[in-house]
Every structure is written in C-alpha cells, then in structure tokens.
Amino acid sequence: MSSAVLSLKNIKKAYVMGETEFWALKGVSFDIHEGEMVALMGPSGSGKSTLMNIIGILDNPTEGDYILRGENVSDLDEFDRAEIRNAYIGFVFQAFHLLPRLNLLENVEVPLTYAGYAPWVRRERAMDMLNRVGLADKWRNLPSQISGGQKQRVAVARALAMNPALLLADEPTGNLDTQTGNEIMGLFHSLNDEGVTVLIVTHEAEIAQQTKRSIRLRDGLLESDRGHEQQRPILHEAVFGGAP
Ligand SMILES: Nc1ncnc2c1ncn2[C@@H]1O[C@H](COP(=O)(O)OP(=O)(O)O)[C@@H](O)[C@H]1O
Ligand SMILES: [Mg+2]
C-alpha cells in the first residue's frame, strides 16, 4: 500500500456573509495516495472548488484537519504554508491565471522566483517546462498572443516548474474545446505515468472515466468514492513530444 500524500479529516468550510453563514463543506474525509489520479466530480455549487482551494492551501478549512505529507497544515503559520504550497503543489485553474504583462517564460518562472532560485536556473528550468508542453519556441510571446489551449499548457508548465508531488486542476478543460481539452488531459496522464499525483475537478463524465478513481461531492458532502473498472482510452500517448 502506497503512502497517503494527503488526508482530509472531517473538513468543513463556512462562508460568512453578513449575519448568515453558509456551510459549503459539511464534513469531508478521504485520503489520496502517492501516484493516484483522481477525478473530483459533483454538481455546480457542491463544494469542489472550495475543497480544491483547501487542498491547495489557498484557503483554510473552518473545521477539520488537513494532513499533507504527514504534516497538519492547519498547525502551520502563513509563511510555512506558503512555502509548502510552492514546493509541493502545482495548481491549474479553469481561467489559466497567467500574468498578462509577463511573457510565457517569465510566467513559468514565477514559482521559481518565489522559491529564490538564481535567474539562470529559473530560465533553464522554465524553458525545460515550456519545452515539455510544446511551447518553447513561443517563450517570448505574451499570454494575449496565444490560444486558450496554449495558455492552459503554459499554466501546466508553471504548475510543474517546482516539480510538485501533487498536481491540482480545477476544471482545467472547462474553457477549452474537446480536442484541446483532450490534449491537456493527455499531458496530465503522462505526468501521472511519471509518478505525479493528480487531482482533477471535472463535471465531464468522459474525463472522469479516464481516471481510476472518482470522488463525488453533493451539497458539501462526499456522495461516492469509487474506482473505475474500465481502462482509460488511449488518447494520451506522446501528445507533446518535447525534444530535449
Ligand atoms: N467566497 C464565497 N463566499 C460565499 N459563498 C461562497 C464562496 N465561494 C463559494 N461559495 C458558495 O459555496 C458553495 C460551493 O461553491 P464551490 O466550492 O465554488 O462549488 P463548485 O466548485 O462545486 O461549483 C456554493 O453554494 C457557492 O455559492
Ligand atoms: Mg468550482
């Protein structure tokens, strides 16, 4: 049995709006093990993004414990939380979240800059990642000069820059056409084949069927957590060649 990368123990989250509070998560518990690729599903408003933000240490649970690689994240101060987030977690968002004034290379460098790497190390590492997603030749471009699919590939390159143990993606194909979405999924599959643990939010059954395990939320609670019998379709082979 492989070890748990992360463990959620009765995670609850309340959003307070004026005098009312809304419990977006009402007690969610599960483990994710090293090397797993998991789809997180559920209707709109079921708490998927809220949970992803907690797992990505972008937000705190109101109650419950979040254990990441054996450490209780809730016990750490903001500095340590930021450091762990940067070192262990890559996050890909539906809306890409690239910085518009930075070129593609500089966008991929952001987490490396934050971690304090020397400029030449950042350049080399970021260029490797751009190469990995097939965009090395466009490194000087601004985000506004490339397509949505390419933006998401840059966002994946940025998420990979620190070689994270855990890759989180919140509806990464939500703004993409089917073909481009499949290419991004192919990239996630090949990363998972290399040992990266991947958690993807999707409401597309087709995408969830490509993962061995899918977890479903409903109204802030875990509705189901199951492994798939069928193998994923073979659409991920060498989508991005990335010559060295
Ligand atoms: N910042 C916020 N303030 C208040 N309510 C929020 C906030 N973020 C999310 N919610 C509410 O929490 C619930 C879960 O939202 P979310 O986690 O975004 O769901 P999903 O990603 O599954 O669509 C929704 O009812 C949403 O309106
Ligand atoms: Mg969401």
Side-chain angles (χ1 to χ4, degrees), residues 25-45:
L25 296 173
K26 299 169 184 165
V28 173
S29 305
F30 59 81
D31 290 356
I32 291 182
H33 293 266
E34 206 170 314
E36 275 197 298
M37 181 154 176
V38 181
L40 179 60
M41 303 191 72
S44 181

Side-chain angles (χ1 to χ4, degrees), residues 13-17 22-25 41-53 59 170-171 201 203 217 220:
K13 177 71 184 183
Y15 291 114
V16 179
M17 294 155 288
F22 175 78
W23 289 86
L25 296 173
M41 303 191 72
S44 181
S46 56
K48 304 182 298 296
S49 293
T50 300
L51 190 60
M52 289 295 273
N53 290 342
D59 201 0
D170 192 350
E171 304 205 35
V201 171
H203 46 223
L217 294 184

Side-chain angles (χ1 to χ4, degrees), residues 98 103-108 126-143 145-158 180 183-184 187 239-243:
L98 300 178
N103 70 33
L104 305 188
L105 187 69
E106 290 163 342
N107 264 283
V108 177
M127 201 53 119
D128 280 352
M129 293 302 107
L130 277 182
N131 192 42
R132 173 80 214 251
V133 301
L135 287 172
D137 58 328
K138 294 204 185 297
W139 71 270
R140 281 176 200 274
N141 283 74
L142 293 173
Q145 297 170 314
I146 60 173
S147 70
Q150 289 172 330
K151 282 179 196 164
Q152 198 57 301
R153 281 151 65 180
V154 174
V156 172
R158 179 184 55 189
T180 312
E183 286 174 10
I184 293 294
L187 191 49
V239 180
F240 301 109

Side-chain angles (χ1 to χ4, degrees), residues 11 16 20 48 50 65 68 71 77 108 112 125 128-129 155 167 176 202 235 238:
I11 295 288
V16 179
T20 60
K48 304 182 298 296
T50 300
D65 287 315
L68 178 64
E71 258 186 310
D77 64 23
V108 177
L112 299 158
R125 177 82 187 150
D128 280 352
M129 293 302 107
L167 187 60
L176 306 176
T202 180
L235 43 72

Side-chain angles (χ1 to χ4, degrees), residues 50-191:
T50 300
L51 190 60
M52 289 295 273
N53 290 342
I54 290 169
I55 294 173
I57 324 185
L58 299 168
D59 201 0
N60 291 312
T62 310
E63 285 177 34
D65 287 315
Y66 172 29
I67 318 292
L68 178 64
R69 310 187 104 205
E71 258 186 310
N72 194 332
V73 175
S74 338
D75 292 342
L76 303 174
D77 64 23
E78 195 44 53
F79 180 84
D80 287 340
R81 289 159 54 83
E83 207 162 58
I84 288 183
R85 181 194 310 136
N86 200 51
Y88 295 142
I89 300 172
F91 211 124
V92 176
F93 303 89
Q94 180 175 0
F96 321 129
H97 291 193
L98 300 178
L99 296 168
R101 289 172 203 279
L102 300 187
N103 70 33
L104 305 188
L105 187 69
E106 290 163 342
N107 264 283
V108 177
E109 279 184 44
V110 166
L112 299 158
T113 306
Y114 182 84
Y117 285 100
W120 71 270
V121 178
R122 300 196 311 247
R123 289 282 133 98
E124 194 169 279
R125 177 82 187 150
M127 201 53 119
D128 280 352
M129 293 302 107
L130 277 182
N131 192 42
R132 173 80 214 251
V133 301
L135 287 172
D137 58 328
K138 294 204 185 297
W139 71 270
R140 281 176 200 274
N141 283 74
L142 293 173
S144 59
Q145 297 170 314
I146 60 173
S147 70
Q150 289 172 330
K151 282 179 196 164
Q152 198 57 301
R153 281 151 65 180
V154 174
V156 172
R158 179 184 55 189
L160 295 176
M162 290 290 291
N163 196 21
L166 178 62
L167 187 60
L168 304 176
D170 192 350
E171 304 205 35
T173 66
N175 282 342
L176 306 176
D177 62 77
T178 307
Q179 165 68 25
T180 312
N182 283 340
E183 286 174 10
I184 293 294
M185 282 307 297
L187 191 49
F188 288 136
H189 280 301
S190 59
L191 291 166

